[in-house]
Structure formats: structure tokens, C-alpha cells
Amino acid sequence: YRRKHYMQLSQLVERAPIFCEAMFHPQIAAIAEQIFKEYRIGGSVLVINPAKTGGTVGMKLPAWHHDADHGEYPYHATAWPCPLLQLRFFISLSDVVGPEDGGLALMVGSHRSKAEWPYSPEAPPEAGEYEVPVAKKGDCMIMHHACKHTALPNTSDRDRINIQFIVVPLWVRSKEAEAVSAEFLQQMEPARRELL
């Protein structure tokens, strides 16, 4: 999956066995059950933010945004503070030691705020107004869907790669649901099939 530009590849479960095994990891299941009791898989994403040496000139990074259903009824607008309707597990496949690595920038506490976003969605706030979590390869961060975030430009000499798995309570209906072929579903064990 080498790329010269920032990219997000969704619907991972059928792409490679390793994605499927990671999605159904027992620790993800344990946390999802602790938070939601009953849940289902709401989607998966592979994110590649390539190194500056990878030809990133002209790429467009995502604007500051909330996750989950960017449509007519976005999850983050359901109530204040926003209820937890989705958990996103970010699993680092590369080290992030600072903003130069193209890490995830978070507006800490924004999931609890009703305040309007005071910045252009295309322009990041000044350094110090957001946080960039440090991560080692294999670390997992869990994020509330209503927390404002974006990916920063990667000015380092190494790619920043992560996979993301989304879980939602059973009663949530989402446009972001994982699409799986009938043939692939038939090959899965029943417990995993039920989660999809």
C-alpha cells in the first residue's frame, strides 16, 4: 500500500487476513463490551501519511472535523455534551514522536463543547492550541467520535501509518458500516459474522 499522497483506505476486513485478525482482537472486544455491552463493527480504515520524501507536494490533508456520519444528522450534533455513539481505535503502525511525523492533532475537550469552531476548517490552530499524541508502533489510542481532529503534514523522513477500527452500539445505524461480501461472510465463524 505504498502511496505518494495522504490516503485513507476503508473496508479492510476482506483486503488481507491480518486486518481481519486485528479487527476482532480480544482486547478491542473487551473494551467495546465494557463500554457498550453489545456492539457491532462500524468500519475500518488504513491511513497512510507519507514522508516528505514520498512526493507529498500538493496533497490535501483532511480538514478539522468530527467523526461519524458527516451527513444530514451528524452524530456530534445529537446533544450536548455529545453522547458516545462510536469508539474509534487508532492502532499505530509507525512511531509518532511529534507534530513533524504527521500525527493526529486533537482539540482536547472539543467533544464536550458546544462552542463554535473558531478556526477555518482548512487551517490548523496555532501550536499549543491542540495536542499531538505520542505513539510507538503497536500503541492503541481510543477516541470519542465528537473530538475535533485532523492529520498534520508529515515533514519527517518516514511514513506515518495507522489502522482504525470503529465500534458502535447495536442500535446505531450508520452510513459508515463495513461492507462485506456474502461469500466472505459465509466463511467467517458465526460470532464474527454477527459483529459485522
Side-chain angles (χ1 to χ4, degrees):
Y1 293 113
R2 296 289 302 174
R3 293 291 187 272
K4 291 185 177 182
H5 300 285
Y6 180 93
M7 59 93 56
Q8 294 186 2
L9 182 66
S10 60
Q11 312 292 336
L12 300 180
V13 71
E14 287 188 76
R15 293 184 188 271
I18 190 70
F19 292 133
C20 191
E21 291 309 307
M23 179 183 288
F24 294 107
H25 194 281
Q27 288 181 331
I28 289 178
I31 293 168
E33 288 171 3
Q34 181 181 2
I35 301 295
F36 294 131
K37 302 290 186 240
E38 295 182 299
Y39 72 97
R40 64 182 177 81
I41 302 295
S44 59
V45 181
L46 171 71
V47 176
I48 301 174
N49 192 346
K52 65 180 177 184
T53 55
T56 59
V57 174
M59 75 176 178
K60 184 169 175 56
L61 291 165
W64 286 89
H65 64 282
H66 303 281
D67 281 332
D69 282 354
H70 309 289
E72 189 175 350
Y73 303 106
Y75 288 178
H76 71 273
T78 56
W80 298 101
C82 182
L84 181 61
L85 303 174
Q86 180 192 90
L87 277 182
R88 188 172 292 250
F89 293 80
F90 288 81
I91 302 170
S92 289
L93 300 182
S94 54
D95 294 342
V96 176
V97 296
E100 67 278 1
D101 293 317
L104 182 71
L106 300 171
M107 188 58 66
V108 177
S110 57
H111 65 295
R112 296 187 307 260
S113 174
K114 192 175 182 178
E116 289 297 316
W117 188 239
Y119 311 102
S120 161
E122 303 297 328
E126 296 295 320
E129 294 180 323
Y130 59 87
E131 291 187 22
V132 179
V134 172
K136 295 274 190 201
K137 213 182 286 187
D139 284 353
C140 179
M141 178 182 72
I142 304 169
M143 191 174 84
H144 190 294
H145 63 88
C147 184
K148 278 275 196 181
H149 64 283
T150 190
L152 296 173
N154 187 350
T155 58
S156 75
D157 59 359
R158 63 185 183 278
D159 293 348
R160 195 267 291 173
I161 305 169
N162 69 55
I163 52 176
Q164 301 172 23
F165 299 116
I166 301 159
V167 299
V168 297
L170 287 182
W171 52 268
V172 166
R173 294 294 171 258
S174 172
K175 294 182 292 188
E176 299 179 332
E178 191 83 3
V180 182
S181 71
E183 296 80 20
F184 188 80
L185 277 175
Q186 287 304 324
Q187 298 170 13
M188 297 187 86
E189 60 187 72
R192 288 185 173 185
R193 189 180 318 135
E194 186 70 25
L195 286 174
L196 290 172

